[in-house]
Amino acid sequence: MKSQHAIQCRLRALRRSRPGLTQQALADQVGVTRQTILSIEKGNYSPTVGLALKLARVLDVAVEDLFSLPEGEDDV
Amino acid sequence: MKSQHAIQCRLRALRRSRPGLTQQALADQVGVTRQTILSIEKGNYSPTVGLALKLARVLDVAVEDLFSLPEGEDDV
DNA sequence: AAAATATGTAAAATTAACTTGACATAAAGT
DNA sequence: ACTTTATGTCAAGTTAATTTTACATATTTT
């Protein structure tokens, strides 16, 4: 189930901007299974920082470019 | 137990650079318990991206400034 | 159109993140 | 010295991330 507090994820778009970078290929590069990539792209859940850092590195973007908090989550 | 693939975490130093920012205060601001902050600072585990983004926002730094992958983890 | 590759769905199992609560030590304030 | 506030430790429980496996549907290639 998708968590309610889900963060925004631009993984799919960024991955597809890299020709030939398949889910499996990306999964191999960051050391997870294809299911994990798929689930993150689908928004089923969001990764841990470690994985986020690896994904950002492979895609050559900042973590903040890959994932971002939904607006209006600033209230205490 | 600290995971072997642990990422580097500069949370404690950054938190302490903010006078008055106690573990409890930080925990409240990002919506977790004090134990979670303590465990992350101690390196017991690393947070999910969502929490990492919130911590980075409160501390006004980039996620990459707070957490970073250990060097030499670039081999396939 | 058949074969191969890429993506999607779904469920059970495992591991790790996070919580709760209780107590112990350290530091700071009065 | 006492009280308060901040940090640390430990254990058990809950929830979420990740794996594994298996199959289904697209998409691409020949």
Side-chain angles (χ1 to χ4, degrees), chain A residues 2 11 25 29-30 50 55 59 62 64:
Chain A
K2 308 190 183 199
L11 180 56
Q29 287 195 55
V30 298
L55 289 170
L59 295 168
E64 286 86 352

Side-chain angles (χ1 to χ4, degrees), chain B residues 3-45:
Chain B
S3 36
Q4 303 78 340
H5 52 284
I7 69 179
Q8 289 178 233
C9 172
R10 291 178 264 293
L11 180 55
R12 170 152 310 188
L14 283 165
R15 177 178 63 82
R16 286 192 169 154
S17 73
R18 304 261 168 151
L21 186 57
T22 158
Q23 289 176 347
Q24 184 65 61
L26 180 56
D28 290 344
Q29 287 195 56
V30 298
V32 296
T33 61
R34 183 178 68 86
Q35 281 301 327
T36 298
I37 301 296
L38 177 55
S39 290
I40 294 170
E41 286 190 353
K42 282 281 172 177
N44 291 28
Y45 49 74

Side-chain angles (χ1 to χ4, degrees), chain A residues 49-51 53-54 57, chain B residues 3-10 46 64 67-75:
Chain A
V49 217
L51 180 49
L53 285 166
K54 290 178 186 174
R57 188 178 56 185
Chain B
S3 36
Q4 303 78 340
H5 52 284
I7 69 179
Q8 289 178 233
C9 172
R10 291 178 264 293
S46 47
E64 286 85 352
F67 304 97
S68 57
L69 295 168
E71 296 300 327
E73 192 162 345
D74 299 272
D75 51 348

Side-chain angles (χ1 to χ4, degrees), chain A residues 17-71:
Chain A
S17 72
R18 303 261 167 153
L21 186 57
T22 159
Q23 290 176 346
Q24 184 65 61
L26 180 56
D28 290 344
Q29 287 195 55
V30 298
V32 296
T33 61
R34 184 177 67 86
Q35 281 301 326
T36 298
I37 301 296
L38 178 55
S39 290
I40 294 171
E41 285 191 353
K42 282 282 172 176
N44 292 25
Y45 48 74
S46 47
T48 53
V49 217
L51 180 49
L53 285 166
K54 290 178 186 174
L55 289 170
R57 188 178 56 185
V58 168
L59 295 168
D60 199 35
V61 296
V63 171
E64 286 86 352
D65 294 326
L66 245 183
F67 304 97
S68 57
L69 295 168
E71 296 299 328

